[in-house]
Amino acid sequence: MPNSSKRAQFERVVLPHLNAAYNLARWLTRDDHDAQDVLQESSMRAYQYLDGFHGDSAKSWLLTIVRHTCYSWLEKNRPAALTTVFDEQLHGAGGDGPHADNTVPADGPEALLQQKQERHQVQRWLEELPVEFREVVVLRELEGLSYKEIGEIAAIPIGTVMSRLSRGRNLLQRKLNGTVDEES
Amino acid sequence: MSCEHTQQLLDAYVDGELDVEKSLAIEQHLSACPACRKRHEARRWVRVAVQSQARYFTVPDPAVRRIQAHLDKAGGGGRTLPARWLSLAATAAIAALLGSGTTFWIGRTSSEDLLTQEAVANHSRSLMVAGRITDISSSDQHTVKPWFNGRVDFSPLVVDLTAQGFALVGGRLDYLDNHPVAALVYRHRQHLINLFVWPDDKSAAAPMRAFARHGYHVLHWSGGGMRYWAVSDLNPADLKAFGELLATQG
């Protein structure tokens, strides 16, 4: 393919989804500069593999590349981010106990979120989720992708998408409910 | 359905990922079981919290410029592209229009294809050019609707659907299908929706039809003497819910 038409194809296929790509990279790396580095590398890969794109969802295709690039990048530069030892008490009791997810604060989180501090906390709580839960929550809640699309991007079966989303939300829910203090 | 089974499927239920039969079974269980109803409420709240409070990061301009510079070096195609993201993105929208326009002329032609192209290009342009998204910015339907008086020769239906999750952002004048059209802008989470409205020359209502083009979803229908074309990067299910809300208002 001549470079000029390849460039045009890049603009048509990749460019409309650059914000989605950056958003995912930023949530996975949790750092502006790291996310920009990953985006740069992902864009170059997307350009390189453009001939191989025949699917119907350019967004899923690009996000698959971004996710893969993020993981390689984190492995190389921030290995700790991938091996976060997750708090067993949180994790273990997170989703499966009978009372794990049915506590609702009297006024509901809407009332809690009126306080500015709480807003920052939701941001932080999501950032603190282990990466495998964080990515499915971001792809579902911020990108509005279907389980099928998320499964394709993260290379996991749909059942795993559902269970990770469920675990991730349980953890956030417990934070929102204030049932887990910072020490536990 | 048992409580245990309901809990297992609760996330898929709130995400609209279950088939009709299972959704109905869950709804039945929820109407009968206060404990599961509470779990369901809690689930909805955690979603609201994340969707409304977690940030959607947008790519900074310098990062886009670096990507362009890299492509200029790597590609060497000799294309000199505008340095600014906004211009670049507008170029992309036009390229998309021209690119598929070619297919259009060579291949099967239909006014629906052409309109889809136009609507998607209008949508992209509105997003890419700073300050272009709305001429009148207001979430008040009683401010937005009169703004169109004298600007178009029809009065578009303007409804605020904030309560249903689709907040009215504003309106602007656009051009589609050789007509000046009313463009109403709505926001659902981080996604903007352009709704193009103009009079229908056919009297019969047309059912809803959905398309995907270049990563955008398009939904159109007509009724009450008006044509409606909605374009967004929102997922098809939510866009359809939006269309259905509007169709019932008209």
Side-chain angles (χ1 to χ4, degrees):
Chain A
M1 191 187 294
N3 282 330
S4 60
S5 70
K6 189 168 180 179
R7 179 69 175 262
Q9 196 192 354
F10 180 87
E11 284 162 24
R12 201 166 62 235
V13 171
V14 177
L15 221 53
H17 307 295
L18 219 49
N19 275 335
Y22 181 74
N23 186 50
L24 180 63
R26 177 62 179 72
W27 275 104
L28 292 185
T29 58
R30 298 180 289 194
D31 180 272
D32 291 339
H33 280 106
D34 293 355
Q36 290 181 29
D37 285 353
V38 166
L39 184 71
Q40 168 99 21
E41 203 177 321
S42 304
S43 302
M44 295 312 122
R45 284 190 191 182
Y47 185 78
Q48 194 182 341
Y49 300 134
L50 206 50
D51 297 346
F53 169 67
H54 300 294
D56 49 6
S57 174
K59 186 170 169 177
S60 294
W61 177 75
L62 182 62
L63 292 182
T64 307
I65 295 176
V66 170
R67 179 184 177 273
H68 185 79
T69 309
C70 270
Y71 274 80
S72 310
W73 195 93
L74 288 170
E75 241 164 53
K76 193 173 150 213
N77 300 291
R78 306 265 187 280
L82 292 174
T83 54
T84 312
V85 178
F86 196 49
D87 190 318
E88 224 5 82
Q89 234 180 325
L90 268 182
H91 198 175
D96 312 319
H99 305 294
D101 56 355
N102 60 352
T103 3
V104 180
D107 301 327
E110 283 101 335
L112 284 179
L113 291 169
Q114 301 298 317
Q115 301 157 27
K116 205 176 169 195
Q117 203 185 355
E118 290 288 336
R119 294 178 192 222
H120 293 303
Q121 279 182 345
V122 172
Q123 178 79 17
R124 189 166 64 84
W125 290 335
L126 184 52
E127 281 191 345
E128 284 172 356
L129 278 192
V131 67
E132 70 269 28
F133 300 138
R134 200 187 324 138
E135 66 182 1
V136 292
V137 172
V138 166
L139 291 173
R140 175 63 210 160
E141 306 294 21
L142 301 184
E143 287 301 339
L145 295 178
S146 70
Y147 287 11
K148 183 168 173 284
E149 290 168 312
I150 297 170
E152 283 163 9
I153 292 166
I156 50 176
I158 287 178
T160 311
V161 174
M162 187 165 83
S163 60
R164 284 188 187 173
L165 203 45
S166 180
R167 300 297 281 278
R169 283 173 177 160
N170 281 345
L171 292 165
L172 290 169
Q173 202 165 301
R174 290 163 67 83
K175 293 277 193 180
L176 273 172
N177 293 346
T179 53
V180 177
D181 62 40
E182 298 297 317
E183 270 71 50
S184 68
Chain B
M1 191 173 281
S2 68
C3 289
E4 197 191 345
H5 199 189
T6 299
Q7 281 182 62
Q8 280 166 1
L9 294 179
L10 201 53
D11 284 280
Y13 174 71
V14 297
D15 288 320
E17 292 271 346
L18 290 182
D19 58 33
V20 178
E21 200 186 335
K22 285 207 182 75
S23 291
L24 284 175
I26 292 213
E27 273 157 32
Q28 269 172 10
H29 179 85
L30 290 180
S31 65
C33 172
C36 283
R37 224 166 27 239
K38 214 170 168 191
R39 292 188 186 100
H40 176 237
E41 269 306 284
R43 221 27 155 203
R44 285 198 329 107
W45 278 341
V46 79
R47 295 199 67 203
V48 168
V50 172
Q51 288 176 2
S52 58
Q53 310 303 336
R55 197 172 145 199
Y56 191 100
F57 294 96
T58 53
V59 61
D61 280 356
V64 180
R65 280 198 291 273
R66 271 198 300 280
I67 291 169
Q68 283 177 260
H70 233 83
L71 284 177
D72 288 340
K73 256 194 295 182
R79 287 191 66 181
T80 44
L81 286 159
R84 286 168 50 238
W85 150 248
L86 296 175
S87 321
L88 177 68
T91 310
I94 293 159
L97 179 64
L98 294 179
S100 21
T102 314
T103 328
F104 166 72
W105 290 116
I106 296 169
R108 181 176 56 87
T109 64
S110 83
S111 59
E112 195 174 46
D113 281 351
L114 187 60
L115 258 180
T116 302
Q117 290 310 327
E118 272 191 61
V120 167
N122 284 7
H123 176 75
S124 315
R125 265 198 306 276
S126 76
L127 299 182
M128 300 316 179
V129 181
R132 176 66 187 123
I133 186 77
T134 52
D135 292 330
I136 168 88
S137 298
S138 172
S139 58
D140 179 7
Q141 62 205 64
H142 304 295
T143 303
V144 175
K145 189 179 168 75
W147 183 85
F148 286 103
N149 288 342
R151 290 184 166 88
V152 289
D153 56 1
F154 59 93
S155 182
L157 173 77
V158 183
V159 283
D160 181 23
L161 299 170
T162 302
Q164 291 91 339
F166 299 94
L168 181 64
V169 175
R172 67 168 196 284
L173 206 55
D174 212 322
Y175 196 80
L176 193 63
D177 194 29
N178 304 314
H179 299 83
V181 300
L184 300 170
V185 182
Y186 289 85
R187 183 189 294 277
H188 182 64
R189 301 199 299 267
Q190 320 295 336
H191 306 275
L192 289 171
I193 306 169
N194 260 294
L195 177 72
F196 302 104
V197 186
W198 71 104
D200 193 5
D201 46 14
K202 297 182 195 67
S203 52
M208 229 166 246
R209 286 170 59 85
F211 299 88
R213 192 71 52 109
H214 302 313
Y216 293 113
H217 293 104
V218 180
L219 189 72
H220 74 85
W221 71 95
S222 56
M226 291 288 180
R227 302 184 75 174
Y228 297 89
W229 283 65
V231 186
S232 180
D233 62 343
L234 189 60
N235 69 73
D238 285 346
L239 189 61
K240 187 150 176 282
F242 170 72
E244 279 164 357
L245 278 170
L246 282 164
T248 56
Q249 308 266 345

